[in-house]
Amino acid sequence: MSRATLWASVPLLIAFNASGQETVPDSFGPLQTYAQSPFITNGLAPQLRSGFSMPNNSIELHASVTAASIWAKNRIYELDYYQNQLQLGGKWQVNKRWQWEIGYRLNHAGNNSLDSLTITFHDWFSLDQNGRDEVDNDRYIISAPSYGINEEDFGGDILSQGLYSYLQYQLFQNSHHGFSIGFSLYYSDLGSGFFAHSDWEQALQLNYGFLSGNHAIDVTLSQTFRDVPTNFDQMPYVDNNWFVGGSYRYQWYQNHYLVLQLGVYEGISEADDEFAKVSTDVTLGYRFEMEQSALEFSVIENMINADNSTDIAFTFAYRYRYGGSN
């Protein structure tokens, strides 16, 4: 997917501005989750976002924690470790058009004891263990000799940490449809972390939202740009890659929502390896919404390529909104 194709439709979307702007009461939109492929999650990965704005002049504060088990083994590399992710952030609907978000993300190699649960989960659903049941549990290994990478016993270390900012402009909105465009900026040179690097990363994205009764759909199309080489000098990173994501939400009862999300990320490697292939995150989540806040629980599983993403990840999130007016 070329950049020209991705952004050719932007002028058409801007034309919707002539139709006016109508504020609608949206729910909290897609789940507060993040990509879990090892070499994507430690940098900038565009988040699936709502095509709708929040109520004018409202603020949302959010916090999420993710426990993931990483496993990949093939002829080029071996990855076997735990990753725990903390994300803190807040966003402000400045006015009916503009929304701004800022946040912090930390990845930590802490023992979350997911290996046994992952093996059991794969057995329950007759999924291939891909060799995981042939090695000891609770290991910390990242080995890719051809890329000059060989790290072991790094449990307890910080893998990466970074600051991000996101600016969104509302192109069009009515009671059923919303279009927005956004720009992300990510900075991770914070002095420590195995994956830490000093390069800035940027992303552009288009968001579309649809609301009808108990049903809601959000779709995001995005392109990420980075300087290369990045985390590892010998790792053949691509300098840009696309992302396509979709979210379907169903309001089960008054305060209860079931959410199904799919995220597809273009490969991040230029080499002939598994990280050159697309990474696919399938997320199943539950949200309980209160008057001003929401609690979320979600499970992320890679359903297609077992060698370029996490085995399984669990995310808990809390989101709180206040202020706002139509």
Side-chain angles (χ1 to χ4, degrees), residues 51-52 176-178 208-212 215-218 249:
F52 293 94
H176 293 292
H177 304 277
Y208 166 71
F210 172 75
L211 295 174
S212 180
H215 307 275
I217 295 173
D218 284 295
R249 301 188 305 282

Side-chain angles (χ1 to χ4, degrees), residues 190-228:
L190 300 180
S192 66
F194 175 59
F195 286 94
H197 57 284
S198 60
D199 298 323
W200 293 85
E201 296 181 72
Q202 310 87 38
L204 285 170
Q205 66 186 74
L206 290 172
N207 310 303
Y208 166 71
F210 172 75
L211 295 174
S212 180
N214 293 347
H215 307 275
I217 295 173
D218 284 295
V219 178
T220 291
L221 176 65
S222 178
Q223 194 89 16
T224 300
F225 308 91
R226 65 182 63 84
D227 293 328
V228 292

Side-chain angles (χ1 to χ4, degrees), residues 126-173:
S126 299
L127 300 175
D128 186 7
Q129 297 287 357
N130 195 31
R132 176 180 281 285
D133 54 346
E134 299 172 2
V135 300
D136 294 335
N137 290 344
D138 309 329
R139 301 192 305 164
Y140 292 89
I141 295 175
I142 300 178
S143 178
S146 59
Y147 300 148
I149 304 170
N150 186 26
E151 296 288 334
E152 296 187 16
D153 300 325
F154 52 88
D157 291 354
I158 293 175
L159 299 175
S160 67
Q161 53 182 329
L163 298 171
Y164 72 90
S165 183
Y166 174 75
L167 183 66
Q168 177 174 289
Y169 180 75
Q170 198 67 35
L171 295 167
F172 170 79
Q173 184 165 293

